[in-house]
Amino acid sequence: MSEIITAAINGASGEELSNLPMPESYKAAFVRREDAGMFEGLETEEKDPRLSLKIGDVALPELAPDEAYVLIMASSINFNTVWTSIFEPLPTFGFLDRLGKESAWGKRHALGYHIVGSDGSGIVLKTGSAVRSWHSGDKVTIHCNYVDDQDPAAHDDSMLAANQRIWGFETNFGGLAEIAVVKANQLMPKPTHLTWEESAVNALCNSTSYRMLVSGNGADMTQGDNVLVWGATGGLGAFAVQYVLNGGGTPVGVVSSASKVSILNELGVEAVIDRKEKAYRFWSDEHTQDESEWRRLGKDIRGLIGEDVDIVFEHPGRQTMGASVFAAKRGGTIVTCAATSGYMIEYDNRHLWMKLKTIKGSHFANYREAWHANQLICEGKILPPLSAVFALDDVGDATYQVHKNLHEGKIGVLCAAPSEGLGIDDQELREKVGEDRLTIFRRNDG
Ligand code: NDP
């Protein structure tokens, strides 16, 4: 492994890399099947990813014809690694076992350990015999839509395919490792002006936000739209507010600290609500929502932008959905991709039907959407919200930060990259985008 890493860092050519023998094993972050019951009886908040996430050597699996081995220079923590590490709502081994029954290649995934991670930037080491568009030495980022191209349903919008999966969550061999095994149709070009760690934090959340807001498959935002963005400096929200600004709209960002307010202001978001300061209590007890609190939110939004929002960018779920449905304007859209605070949702349906609102479900993105979203990163039009960088050995700590909402934007993880700051190929574009803009989240990391 060390020979490959040294060669890659020293700029070995694709041919040189492809001639190096692949290692029998590599370092990775994983959870173990035998630990799936370790948090039984504990509340979600009490479950500690630092106890369940292990770092160690794992065997390199064989490469299928449509796959590539990628040397992962850097990866990132996504919320799905929190879910895997606390075994909620289900242990992810069930996903691996199902994939294991699908095909001979699928069988490789059903192991006693699950290598996590759904983002990555790195260098293609080797490609399978059916791969045409990518070659050893290509610098790439990886999106997490894992699709079987023999499923007819995958050929319109691949997110509608029955067996669509999220790599590193519903499949094994994820990105929090020195090597990842991915399908060739997960690969995208690495942004030339970014470091490995800046490049690694975008694909999952950026593509998801793109589909939710920009794509016709999502809320189909148009110029001038007002958009309420929950968690506006979180993984998804950090991209969402940028899409609203780029699309000529007005974001209303909701966050929970003064340092997060500063980040939004620096990004150009003027209308910001600090939900901690406002102390909304949408639920007066576990079973009852308080409509007067929804009205207070609506009033706060109108106080900032003078009108209601066309779109609500939803993902906290149970805690906020009632308020979100209320806050959207007549004919507005609530687009949702998650339910961090609980997935059994309650809202007042009268506000939905009488005011002709739409709730739109969205999940990750198809290859075309992920590619477009990546292109915007490559052009410097969307900024990577990297706020902190951890070592692969400290994935448990990094995941704990996200689980406890102690982070801002995205946390990067160095995998094969020996230090931060490497991987920039286009200094001119970097200067054009601006070092100060590229480091907004790092500088304001509270
Ligand atoms: P982050 O933790 O990075 O950000 C979420 C933000 O939401 C936090 O920063 C916090 O912001 C806010 N938040 C958390 N809890 C609440 C609450 N009860 N009420 C209001 N705001 C809250 O996570 P991500 O943005 O990466 O992901 C968010 C969710 O979306 C997760 O559940 C994740 O699994 C899911 N997801 C789904 C995807 C899909 O394809 N379906 C893709 C990516 C993520 P603050 O405290 O500042 O208000």
Side-chain angles (χ1 to χ4, degrees):
M1 195 65 239
S2 60
E3 198 185 348
I4 292 176
I5 295 175
T6 308
I9 287 158
N10 292 333
S13 68
E15 198 185 337
E16 284 164 340
L17 284 175
S18 71
N19 286 334
L20 289 174
M22 290 300 293
E24 282 176 13
S25 64
Y26 62 102
K27 190 156 114 174
F30 54 86
V31 293
R32 298 183 307 192
R33 194 182 284 264
E34 70 250 37
D35 291 338
M38 71 192 289
F39 297 133
E40 244 161 60
L42 296 182
E43 295 294 322
T44 300
E45 284 305 307
E46 295 169 327
K47 299 178 181 174
D48 191 338
R50 295 172 296 189
L51 301 178
S52 54
L53 281 164
K54 310 288 175 196
I55 311 294
D57 274 357
V58 292
L60 184 75
E62 208 185 325
L63 195 66
D66 61 346
E67 291 178 343
Y69 289 130
V70 179
L71 176 68
I72 299 293
M73 302 303 276
S75 181
S76 89
I77 306 295
N78 282 293
F79 217 95
N80 63 8
T81 292
V82 175
W83 297 127
T84 300
S85 68
I86 61 172
F87 308 104
E88 278 197 27
L90 297 163
T92 42
F93 289 99
F95 301 140
L96 304 186
D97 292 342
R98 215 164 306 141
L99 174 54
K101 289 188 189 120
E102 240 173 46
S103 67
W105 290 112
K107 213 170 176 178
R108 292 169 303 167
H109 293 255
L111 297 169
Y113 53 86
H114 184 183
I115 304 166
V116 291
S118 302
D119 263 323
S121 65
I123 303 175
V124 175
L125 291 175
K126 274 190 182 18
T127 53
S129 56
V131 176
R132 287 171 290 111
S133 310
W134 301 94
H135 306 281
S136 305
D138 286 348
K139 296 180 179 176
V140 294
T141 58
I142 302 165
H143 77 77
C144 62
N145 186 7
Y146 182 95
V147 181
D148 171 4
D149 64 7
Q150 291 174 35
D151 176 355
H155 286 268
D156 179 4
D157 175 6
S158 59
M159 289 308 298
L160 296 181
N163 58 2
Q164 184 280 330
R165 292 181 165 89
I166 298 295
W167 161 67
F169 179 61
E170 293 163 295
T171 79
N172 218 323
F173 318 127
L176 285 161
E178 290 171 334
I179 291 179
V181 180
V182 302
K183 284 184 183 276
N185 62 15
Q186 289 178 249
L187 298 175
M188 308 189 291
K190 175 196 168 290
T192 51
H193 64 299
L194 299 183
T195 64
W196 292 113
E197 57 277 12
E198 288 165 347
S199 304
V201 298
N202 307 306
L204 190 146
C205 284
N206 182 33
S207 312
T208 305
S209 296
Y210 179 95
R211 181 177 173 114
M212 285 175 78
L213 284 177
V214 182
S215 169
N217 289 322
D220 207 7
M221 188 189 82
T222 57
Q223 298 257 321
D225 275 353
N226 300 319
V227 184
L228 180 72
V229 180
W230 290 105
T233 58
L236 292 171
F239 293 103
V241 292
Q242 295 188 65
Y243 280 115
V244 181
L245 289 170
N246 287 5
T250 303
V252 180
V254 185
V255 288
S256 66
S257 73
S259 62
K260 292 178 178 183
V261 174
S262 304
I263 290 175
L264 287 182
N265 290 158
E266 232 191 293
L267 277 171
V269 181
E270 287 166 13
V272 182
I273 294 175
D274 183 339
R275 69 181 172 101
K276 211 165 168 193
E277 191 183 281
K278 295 282 180 186
Y280 299 117
R281 286 197 69 215
F282 300 135
W283 289 82
S284 41
D285 63 45
E286 209 182 312
H287 308 287
T288 323
Q289 294 199 61
D290 182 349
E291 184 166 332
S292 70
E293 287 291 278
W294 301 347
R295 289 188 186 283
R296 190 154 72 87
L297 171 70
K299 204 171 154 204
D300 289 338
I301 293 169
R302 281 192 294 279
L304 286 167
I305 59 168
E307 51 192 1
D308 291 330
V309 290
D310 301 86
I311 299 169
V312 181
F313 185 88
E314 236 306 322
H315 50 85
R318 185 170 171 81
Q319 284 296 326
T320 54
M321 192 65 167
S324 294
V325 170
F326 177 83
K329 79 169 198 192
R330 184 177 281 268
T333 302
I334 301 96
V335 62
T336 176
C337 75
T340 313
S341 65
Y343 50 81
M344 295 306 282
I345 299 295
E346 273 181 42
Y347 61 88
D348 186 334
N349 205 27
R350 293 168 298 179
H351 290 299
L352 191 83
W353 96 70
M354 290 299 289
K355 295 195 175 150
L356 303 107
K357 304 180 189 186
T358 303
I359 297 176
K360 177 87 193 171
S362 189
H363 185 41
F364 188 60
N366 61 38
Y367 196 9
R368 184 181 54 77
E369 290 162 336
W371 189 279
H372 280 180
N374 185 60
Q375 205 50 39
L376 293 165
I377 301 264
C378 289
E379 291 167 14
K381 292 177 180 158
I382 293 285
L383 303 168
L386 178 75
S387 64
V389 180
F390 283 66
L392 182 56
D393 284 334
D394 300 326
V395 158
D397 290 324
T399 308
Y400 179 83
Q401 296 282 314
V402 177
H403 180 31
K404 295 288 179 184
N405 194 18
L406 299 171
H407 69 303
E408 278 141 12
K410 297 291 305 175
I411 292 182
V413 175
L414 294 183
C415 297
S419 58
E420 295 178 38
L422 304 175
I424 300 168
D425 287 323
D426 187 343
Q427 192 61 40
E428 201 180 320
L429 177 56
R430 190 173 179 90
E431 277 159 27
K432 198 168 151 209
V433 176
E435 198 68 35
D436 54 337
R437 307 252 329 131
L438 288 165
T439 52
I440 290 175
F441 282 77
R442 289 211 83 169
R443 282 187 286 105
N444 286 291
D445 188 22

